[in-house]
Amino acid sequence: MSKESIRKSIIDLRANIARERELKKKDNQRIAGYVRSATTPASKARYRKDKIDVAARHDRNIETYKRRIESLQRDLKNCK
């Protein structure tokens, strides 16, 4: 890969991280609304578990993007 393509990939991955953080925030707000409007304790518990699972999925995606950026930065350093 050329230096420019690596730099472009890093920029794209940083944009993906920002997008993933926004999605995480929106999902947390949406699920928090479900928890507040739940009528039974069982449904509240299920929504709380869903909220934790969704947040963890977003966190894993963000970490994956960060690892890719680190890898590309090493590649960029080796190109010089």
Side-chain angles (χ1 to χ4, degrees):
M1 291 176 80
S2 70
K3 289 181 185 180
E4 287 306 312
S5 65
I6 293 173
R7 287 186 182 123
K8 183 184 177 317
S9 296
I10 291 172
I11 291 169
D12 291 342
L13 288 170
R14 287 182 179 150
N16 288 344
I17 289 173
R19 192 174 320 114
E20 194 71 34
R21 286 183 176 146
E22 281 299 314
L23 288 173
K24 179 181 176 181
K25 187 185 303 183
K26 287 180 184 178
D27 284 345
N28 279 340
Q29 290 172 348
R30 179 178 48 83
I31 297 172
Y34 293 158
V35 171
R36 283 191 298 273
S37 65
T39 55
T40 65
S43 63
K44 277 190 181 208
R46 189 185 73 226
Y47 286 132
R48 286 186 179 120
K49 182 186 176 306
D50 288 346
K51 186 176 178 183
I52 292 168
D53 292 343
V54 168
R57 186 187 73 221
H58 287 297
D59 289 339
R60 281 192 306 272
N61 290 343
I62 290 169
E63 287 303 314
T64 299
Y65 291 137
K66 286 181 180 179
R67 281 194 301 274
R68 285 189 200 164
I69 288 173
E70 290 170 1
S71 173
L72 287 172
Q73 286 174 336
R74 282 192 302 272
D75 292 347
L76 186 62
K77 191 181 256 187
N78 290 336
C79 285
K80 292 182 179 179

